[in-house]
Amino acid sequence: MQVNWREITAAKNSFAALYAACETEGYALRPVKEPEGDVTCYSLNSINAPAFMEEIANAPCTTIVGGPHATACPMEMAAYADYVVVGEGEYTLPRLLRAIENRTPGPVPGVATREGLCPQDHAVFLPAYPPFSQFKGYIEISRGCPHGCAYCQTPNLFGRRMRHRPVDEIARAAAHFRDARFVTPNALAYGSDGIRPRPEKIEALFRALHRNEIYFGTFPSEVRPEFVTGEVLDLITTYCANRRLQFGAQSGSDRVLTMLRRGHTVADVEQALDLCRDAGLTPVVDFIVGLPCEEEEDERATLSLVHEVTRRGRAHVHLFTPLPGTPMAGMKARDLLPETQRDLGRLALAGKISGSWNDPERRFYRNR
Ligand code: SF4
C-alpha cells in the first residue's frame, strides 16, 4: 500500500515524528505536493485547515487527517476526510494504516469517521518512539502541559500530564546535529510535573549534550515566566549557546491573566525580566493583544509592559486567534485602541517588536 504525506511547512516536525513511527511498522510515508497513491495523510492546524478542505474532499485516494485542528473538530473534518486521527498519532496512525490495508472492519480507537468517533485507548509513551529518523526535525523533549491556558490547543492535543524523553535518547538524537534545539511546551519544565521545576534534571540533560551547542529556552522551546529563577539561568549561561530567553507574558493585567488561566502574575514576568538582566540574557517576551476579555485599562497595562520589555529586550506580539477546541473558541478579537496601534507600529519600526497584530494567519499559515 502506497502511503503519502502531504507536504505542509507548518507540519514539518509532525512529519519527522510520524515518518519514524510509521517506518517501524513497515510504512514509508512519501512526501507529496498533492494527494495521490493509495492513502495521503495530512496534519493541519486551525489556520491552514480551510485551505485544504476542498483538496481533501476531492482527493483521488483515501485521506487521513490529524493535527491540532482535526483533534479540535473531528466530526467537522470527517465530513471531508475518510479518517480523522484525534490526538497524538504515533500509535494510532500505523494502527489505522494496518486496518485500512487489511480491510479490517470496525472502528479504530482514536479515529473519527462519518459514522462517529471511537475514543482513544492509549497515551503515547514518548521513549517508545524516536523523534525522527530519515527526515530530521527538532527534538521533542517533553509533551503535554498541566496548564490550561484558555486560548491554547496543546492540552487538548497532548493531554495535561507531562511526559519526557529520557536524557540518553535526547543525546542520541542530538548526535545528528551540531546545534541542539528542542520542542516542548516549557523547556524549564524538563523532567518535572510541569508545575514544580527540577533544575537537576535540566543540568543532567545539559551535561549529556556536551558535544552540542545547546539552544534552550528559545524558539521552539520557550518557557513560562514563573519557571525563570537565578539557578536555571546560571545553568543556561553555563551550558548553552543562546544569549536570549523567550517566555510568555501574554498580558500586563493580572485580571486578564486570571481569566486566561495562565497560572502566573505580572510580577512573575517582571521578576523574570530582572533575572534575565542580572544573568546577561536578553528577554524575548510573547504577548497576545485584542483579547476579548480585556477592558481598555487592561490593554493599556499590556502596552505599558510591552514598553518595559522593549527597554530591556524584545517583544513578540500577536493578535488573539480563537482556536477551536479551546475555552475561547468562537470569540472575536477586540479592536485595538489607536494608541496601541500607534505604539506597536513605532516599536516595530524601531526593530523592538515582531509578530502580527493585524493578521493572525501570518502567525501559522506560511507556505501552506
Ligand atoms: S503553558 Fe503554554 S502549552 Fe501550556 S496551556 Fe499554556 S500556552 Fe499552552
Side-chain angles (χ1 to χ4, degrees), residues 246-260:
Q246 185 160 356
F247 53 91
Q250 315 309 357
S251 173
S253 158
D254 280 328
R255 195 184 75 84
V256 171
L257 290 176
T258 300
M259 284 190 285
L260 294 179

Side-chain angles (χ1 to χ4, degrees), residues 145-149 151-155 185 224 250 262:
C145 181
H147 301 280
C149 302
Y151 53 83
C152 176
Q153 287 177 321
T154 295
R224 286 177 56 87
Q250 315 309 357
R262 277 288 293 171

Side-chain angles (χ1 to χ4, degrees), residues 18-29:
L18 291 173
Y19 182 93
C22 290
E23 186 181 39
T24 59
E25 296 295 324
Y27 297 103
L29 303 184

Side-chain angles (χ1 to χ4, degrees), residues 188 199 202 206 216-217 223-225 227-240 242-247 269-283:
L188 293 177
I202 298 171
F206 290 168
F216 199 81
V223 304
R224 286 177 56 87
F227 275 66
V228 178
T229 63
E231 185 180 4
V232 297
L233 295 191
D234 273 351
L235 292 175
I236 289 175
T237 53
T238 302
Y239 290 98
C240 301
N242 51 295
R243 287 297 166 260
R244 292 182 173 189
L245 186 76
Q246 185 160 356
F247 53 91
V269 175
E270 287 170 338
Q271 178 169 292
L273 290 171
D274 288 344
L275 290 167
C276 281
R277 179 199 57 210
D278 296 347
L281 291 169
T282 301

Side-chain angles (χ1 to χ4, degrees), residues 64-335:
I64 301 174
V65 179
H69 189 71
T71 298
C73 317
M75 297 319 294
E76 177 197 311
M77 290 308 301
Y80 295 86
D82 296 300
Y83 300 96
V84 180
V85 172
V86 177
E88 44 202 1
E90 281 91 345
Y91 184 67
T92 304
L93 181 57
R95 192 184 200 183
L96 172 61
L97 292 172
R98 186 78 59 214
I100 294 170
E101 186 171 29
N102 294 341
R103 300 178 191 277
T104 315
V108 177
V111 175
T113 64
R114 288 184 190 98
E115 278 69 56
L117 167 63
C118 182
Q120 275 165 296
D121 62 353
H122 70 279
V124 164
F125 180 55
L126 211 48
Y129 295 94
F132 51 71
S133 59
Q134 178 183 335
F135 294 94
K136 303 291 182 287
Y138 297 123
I139 304 168
E140 186 183 27
I141 57 171
S142 307
R143 184 180 285 189
C145 181
H147 301 280
C149 302
Y151 53 83
C152 176
Q153 287 177 321
T154 295
N156 196 24
L157 183 63
F158 291 134
R160 297 184 72 150
R161 191 174 62 81
M162 281 199 95
R163 291 156 282 162
H164 306 282
R165 197 176 297 284
V167 163
D168 55 343
E169 291 187 17
I170 296 170
R172 199 172 306 132
H176 293 278
F177 307 107
R178 185 197 64 167
D179 296 354
R181 297 179 189 268
F182 311 106
V183 173
T184 162
N186 175 10
L188 293 177
Y190 179 70
S192 80
D193 59 3
I195 307 286
R196 289 163 290 268
R198 301 278 304 273
E200 76 281 8
K201 298 279 186 184
I202 298 171
E203 182 162 21
L205 174 62
F206 290 168
R207 284 179 181 275
L209 298 174
H210 59 93
R211 294 183 198 281
N212 294 97
E213 289 214 352
I214 306 170
Y215 291 82
F216 199 81
T218 58
F219 177 83
S221 65
E222 299 93 332
V223 304
R224 286 177 56 87
E226 80 278 20
F227 275 66
V228 178
T229 63
E231 185 180 4
V232 297
L233 295 191
D234 273 351
L235 292 175
I236 289 175
T237 53
T238 302
Y239 290 98
C240 301
N242 51 295
R243 287 297 166 260
R244 292 182 173 189
L245 186 76
Q246 185 160 356
F247 53 91
Q250 315 309 357
S251 173
S253 158
D254 280 328
R255 195 184 75 84
V256 171
L257 290 176
T258 300
M259 284 190 285
L260 294 179
R261 305 181 203 162
R262 277 288 293 171
H264 67 76
T265 63
V266 175
D268 290 322
V269 175
E270 287 170 338
Q271 178 169 292
L273 290 171
D274 288 344
L275 290 167
C276 281
R277 179 199 57 210
D278 296 347
L281 291 169
T282 301
V284 180
V285 184
D286 295 318
F287 289 92
I288 303 173
V289 292
L291 286 159
C293 53
E294 279 179 336
E295 307 281 346
E296 290 188 1
E297 66 190 80
D298 300 312
E299 186 176 321
R300 291 195 178 98
T302 296
L303 188 60
S304 167
L305 189 56
V306 169
H307 278 292
E308 187 181 337
V309 165
T310 56
R311 281 192 283 276
R312 311 175 188 208
R314 293 173 58 87
H316 211 57
V317 181
H318 288 290
L319 188 68
F320 165 71
T321 306
L323 295 174
T326 70
M328 298 182 84
M331 294 185 181
K332 194 173 173 303
R334 277 179 76 241
D335 290 337

